């Protein structure tokens, strides 16, 4: 193609970014959302569909924090059922089905095995999961049933079987969290929302008055250009996850406000796909210290992980703790008939969850803190939402907008319609999320990808040059990390493979954007996902 035409296409997203930044600085919005994770993006999606004028800014990349570091499960929450939280389970089971319907290429059913070693456990888990089915009602994905020991060994050959009596089988869901967040973001943008990543809030804008006055916007710094500008909005929503307290303390007179969020960390080790059969996930509902253990087939690999380690420090790149890794290795030895060695771990990563501690003591175990979301409105008019989980992000957005209307921070609008709105790319491809990554993750947009230059040039078996160009042109990708961690999931699947692919990705991104793709920064980050970062003697 003529160079001039290719150049004009290549800088499409950069031009769009410049236009977005100008619009944010010049226009007045009904709603400004701070935070580009699942919750913030879902709020922007719902609000823009209702006709509100919406802006959203994210300090780093969309879904870079908690929202790309989930265990990749859409679920009602078997352990929440055991805790008696029926309302949360019922809501999550419904929302699980909504996401599968609106993004079938990125959210799908997945059968789970719960291995049991006694008749008592069979009856206990079987009864609980039949209640799970009943709570799902019309949203059920399939009836719970029983596998005997021989069937269980056939379904999961590497299960330790010395005391295995069989398995209870039920169906939940799995998804690609970062790509689903991007689909929500792109849908909101098509509806008129103005979104900008790599744009950090430096202060809140408040009108003069008692206690600092009303919050009516935010001062933002674009990390790409260094430019600072103000965004004006009738209503400002703080949806920054584990960072909500930082935003709350930006209010005048609130620098010493009590912390409301306690972060909880989950870690995940990614193994080769042959640790599972590719069709069933494993759930161990109670390990030696009461935590849950998952083994999940995902994009041709196996994710082994657990949750609920209380942590004090917050980081955009949280690290697994030595005790967590020891726990994972020990529990894997109980679950599998083969040892888990450090070199078996293709990638190691951690994620933080924002849990709301209403006790104020800061001493409650994180697995006992509610997973339900919390919404509160400060005297300044700043609206904060936190807690919850990926599965219920759509319902959280609906609740948030209702709260804003009830307090007259936003005008009355039509009803929420997001239960029935397909997201960008929505198409049932016939392929599953247990299979290796590929064009099927783009759904109906796969045709647009293969029309770009480099469609037949594969950087890895799962990532083509055209996919990188699509990420830059249509999905706000600017840095190597944006592509290899979230548009592609290669960093989360195989850290060494991601490092090998990084120079080629950097070259293409520079061609597309003209900006520094920060290859050096990515290589430093990626090294922390490799087992030798944690086990240097290996």
């Amino acid at each position: 193609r003529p160079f001039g035409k290719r150049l004009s296409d290549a800088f499409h997203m950069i031009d769009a970014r410049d236009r977005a930044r100008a619009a944010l600085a010049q226009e007045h919005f009904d709603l400004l959302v701070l935070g580009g994770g699942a919750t913030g993006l879902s709020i922007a999606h719902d609000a823009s569909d209702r006709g509100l004028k919406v802006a959203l800014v994210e300090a780093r990349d969309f879904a870079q924090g908690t929202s790309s570091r989930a265990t990749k499960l859409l679920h009602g929450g078997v352990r929440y059922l055991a805790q008696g939280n029926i309302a949360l389970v019922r809501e999550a089971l419904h929302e699980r089905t909504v996401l599968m319907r609106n993004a079938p290429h990125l959210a799908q059913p997945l059968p789970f095995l719960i291995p049991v070693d006694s008749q008592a456990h069979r009856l206990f888990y079987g009864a609980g999961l039949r209640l799970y089915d009943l709570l799902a009602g019309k949203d059920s994905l399939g009836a719970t049933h029983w596998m005997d020991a021989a069937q269980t060994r056939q379904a999961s050959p590497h299960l330790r079987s010395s005391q295995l009596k069989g398995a209870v089988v039920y169906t939940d869901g799995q998804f690609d969290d970062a790509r689903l967040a991007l689909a929500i973001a792109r849908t909101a943008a098509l509806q008129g929302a103005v979104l900008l990543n790599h744009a950090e809030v430096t202060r809140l804008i408040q009108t003069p008055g008692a206690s600092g006055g009303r919050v009516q916007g935010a001062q933002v710094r674009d990390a790409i250009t260094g430019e600072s500008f103000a965004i004006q909005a009738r209503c400002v929503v703080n949806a920054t996850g584990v960072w909500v307290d930082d935003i709350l303390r930006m209010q005048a007179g609130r620098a010493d406000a009590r912390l409301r969020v306690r972060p909880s960390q989950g870690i995940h080790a990614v193994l080769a796909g042959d640790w599972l059969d590719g069709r069933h996930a494993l759930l161990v509902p109670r390990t030696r210290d009461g935590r849950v253990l998952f083994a999940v087939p995902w994009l041709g690999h196996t994710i082994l992980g657990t949750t609920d380690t209380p942590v004090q420090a917050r980081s955009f790149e949280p690290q697994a703790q030595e005790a967590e890794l020891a726990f994972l290795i020990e529990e894997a030895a109980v679950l599998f008939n083969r040892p888990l060695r450090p070199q078996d771990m293709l990638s190691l990563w951690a994620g933080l969850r924002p849990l709301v501690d209403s006790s104020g003591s800061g001493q409650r175990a994180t697995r006992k803190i509610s997973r339900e979301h919390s919404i509160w409105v400060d005297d300044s008019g700043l609206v904060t939402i936190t807690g919850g989980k990926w599965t219920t992000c759509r319902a959280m957005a609906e609740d948030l907008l209702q709260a804003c209307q009830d307090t007259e921070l936003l005008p009355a609008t039509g009803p929420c319609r997001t239960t029935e709105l397909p997201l960008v790319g929505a198409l049932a491809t016939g392929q599953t999320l247990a299979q290796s990554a590929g064009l099927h993750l783009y759904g109906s947009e796969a045709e647009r990808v293969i029309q770009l230059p480099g469609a037949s040039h594969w950087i890895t078996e799962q990532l083509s040059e055209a996919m990188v160009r699509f990420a830059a042109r249509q999905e706000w990708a600017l840095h190597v990390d944006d592509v290899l961690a979230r548009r592609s999931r290669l960093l989360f699947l195989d850290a060494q493979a991601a490092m090998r692919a990084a120079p080629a990705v950097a070259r293409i991104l520079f061609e597309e954007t003209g900006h520094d793709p920060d290859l050096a920064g990515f290589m430093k980050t990626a090294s922390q996902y490799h087992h030798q970062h944690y086990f240097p003697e290996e």
Side-chain angles (χ1 to χ4, degrees):
R1 295 172 8 163
F3 178 77
K5 172 63 175 171
R6 179 170 176 174
L7 189 63
S8 65
D9 286 351
F11 284 89
H12 167 76
M13 182 52 76
I14 293 300
D15 291 342
R17 182 182 177 83
D18 290 342
R19 290 194 298 272
R21 190 171 57 245
L24 291 172
Q26 297 168 10
E27 300 177 18
H28 195 283
F29 294 87
D30 294 312
L31 177 65
L32 169 59
V33 182
L34 311 181
T39 303
L41 293 170
S42 295
I43 294 166
H45 171 34
D46 191 348
S48 58
D49 176 67
R50 299 192 199 197
L52 295 173
K53 192 170 183 180
V54 179
L56 180 147
V57 292
E58 162 57 42
R60 285 169 169 74
D61 187 27
F62 300 127
Q64 183 165 343
T66 302
S67 297
S68 63
R69 299 167 186 273
T71 314
K72 320 309 177 194
L73 301 180
L74 290 174
H75 61 107
V78 173
R79 59 178 167 161
Y80 311 144
L81 182 63
Q83 295 168 2
N85 197 335
I86 301 298
L88 176 60
V89 173
R90 190 189 299 274
E91 177 185 60
L93 287 170
H94 172 68
E95 293 300 322
R96 174 191 71 178
T97 306
V98 170
L99 283 170
M100 290 183 189
R101 181 174 63 243
N102 290 339
H105 58 309
L106 295 172
Q108 300 161 1
L110 177 68
F112 282 75
L113 306 180
I114 299 182
V116 298
D117 57 9
S118 70
Q119 180 69 8
H121 283 156
R122 172 184 176 176
L123 294 173
F124 178 76
Y125 294 126
L129 287 164
R130 286 191 176 92
L131 176 58
Y132 198 64
D133 293 343
L134 288 173
L135 290 173
K138 64 180 177 61
D139 295 313
S140 175
L141 300 176
T144 294
H145 62 279
W146 171 253
M147 278 187 180
D148 63 25
Q151 292 170 320
T152 304
R153 281 191 290 269
Q154 183 177 11
S156 192
H158 293 297
L159 266 179
R160 184 170 292 280
S161 60
S162 58
Q163 297 181 341
L164 184 68
K165 304 300 183 185
V168 179
V169 185
Y170 73 101
T171 304
D172 240 323
Q174 69 173 162
F175 71 132
D176 185 330
D177 48 4
R179 289 210 61 83
L180 184 58
L182 283 169
I184 297 171
R186 295 188 61 214
T187 305
L190 288 174
Q191 294 166 172
V194 183
L195 284 68
L196 194 68
N197 57 348
H198 301 291
E200 181 179 7
V201 173
T202 56
R203 68 178 179 89
L204 296 176
I205 298 172
Q206 292 181 252
T207 58
S211 301
R214 303 285 289 182
V215 172
Q216 293 190 332
Q219 190 76 18
V220 174
R221 178 183 177 276
D222 184 346
I224 304 304
T225 66
E227 176 186 357
S228 291
F229 55 93
I231 306 174
Q232 304 288 332
R234 172 175 177 167
C235 177
V236 178
V237 169
N238 174 14
T240 54
V242 296
W243 309 95
V244 295
D245 288 320
D246 296 60
I247 299 296
L248 286 168
R249 290 179 164 191
M250 287 184 181
Q251 299 172 97
R254 293 292 304 277
D256 297 322
R258 177 179 66 82
L259 297 179
R260 302 196 186 199
V261 171
R262 289 189 60 202
S264 167
Q265 179 164 292
I267 68 163
H268 303 83
V270 178
L271 317 175
D274 64 3
W275 282 74
L276 296 175
D277 73 337
R279 292 172 294 147
H280 296 86
L282 296 175
L283 167 63
V284 178
R286 184 172 293 276
T287 58
R288 58 181 167 82
D289 71 352
R291 282 184 283 178
V292 175
L293 185 72
F294 292 98
V296 180
W298 190 67
L299 301 184
H301 295 71
T302 297
I303 297 178
L304 181 67
T306 187
T307 58
D308 284 326
T309 300
V311 293
Q312 297 298 320
R314 298 164 303 157
S315 169
F316 286 102
E317 286 293 343
Q319 301 290 297
Q321 300 174 7
E322 184 176 335
E324 289 179 299
L325 287 170
F327 171 84
L328 204 60
I329 291 171
E330 291 168 11
E331 290 299 327
V334 175
L335 183 62
F336 294 112
N337 59 16
R338 57 197 285 196
L340 176 58
R341 305 165 302 170
Q343 57 266 38
D344 294 324
M345 303 178 188
L346 301 176
S347 187
L348 272 165
W349 40 276
L352 302 179
R353 293 187 63 180
L355 303 181
V356 182
D357 186 358
S358 59
S359 71
S361 68
Q363 299 300 313
R364 298 166 66 199
T366 56
R367 61 178 173 274
K368 295 181 181 178
I369 299 176
S370 174
R371 266 56 180 172
E372 294 179 273
H373 59 278
S374 294
I375 299 170
W376 61 89
V377 182
D378 278 46
D379 292 340
S380 66
L382 177 67
V383 185
T384 296
I385 181 169
T386 195
K389 58 180 185 170
W390 234 118
T391 311
T392 59
C393 63
R394 190 215 61 82
M396 292 169 63
E398 184 177 355
D399 289 352
L400 182 284
L401 291 175
Q402 187 62 54
C404 291
Q405 293 179 9
D406 290 345
T407 53
E408 299 184 346
L409 290 167
L410 287 176
T413 64
C416 175
R417 304 188 309 158
T418 51
T419 56
E420 304 295 336
L421 284 181
L423 299 177
V424 166
L427 177 71
T429 64
Q431 294 177 277
T432 75
L433 291 168
Q435 295 174 269
S436 295
L439 283 168
H440 60 95
L441 297 177
Y442 293 83
S444 63
E445 293 206 304
E447 185 64 30
R448 295 184 65 189
V449 177
I450 63 177
Q451 290 175 355
L452 294 177
S456 60
H457 176 217
W458 292 86
I459 301 169
T460 72
E461 291 183 358
Q462 296 84 32
L463 180 66
S464 71
E465 177 182 326
M467 291 175 180
V468 180
R469 297 191 187 280
F470 188 81
R473 298 184 191 190
Q474 302 295 332
E475 298 178 332
W476 295 280
L478 291 165
H479 298 152
V480 175
D481 187 66
D482 298 345
V483 173
L484 290 177
R486 289 168 294 280
R487 279 67 178 174
S488 158
R489 309 313 309 277
L490 190 59
L491 177 59
F492 282 76
L493 295 171
D494 189 329
Q496 280 191 311
M499 288 188 278
R500 289 194 298 269
V505 171
R507 175 185 58 79
I508 297 165
L509 281 176
F510 184 74
E511 286 181 13
E512 291 288 328
T513 69
H515 284 289
D516 178 8
D518 193 18
L519 175 60
F522 173 79
M523 298 300 278
K524 180 179 179 180
T525 297
S527 67
Q528 298 172 0
Y529 286 62
H530 191 254
H531 71 83
Q532 288 186 343
H533 176 73
Y534 297 94
F535 305 96
E537 70 278 5
E538 298 292 333

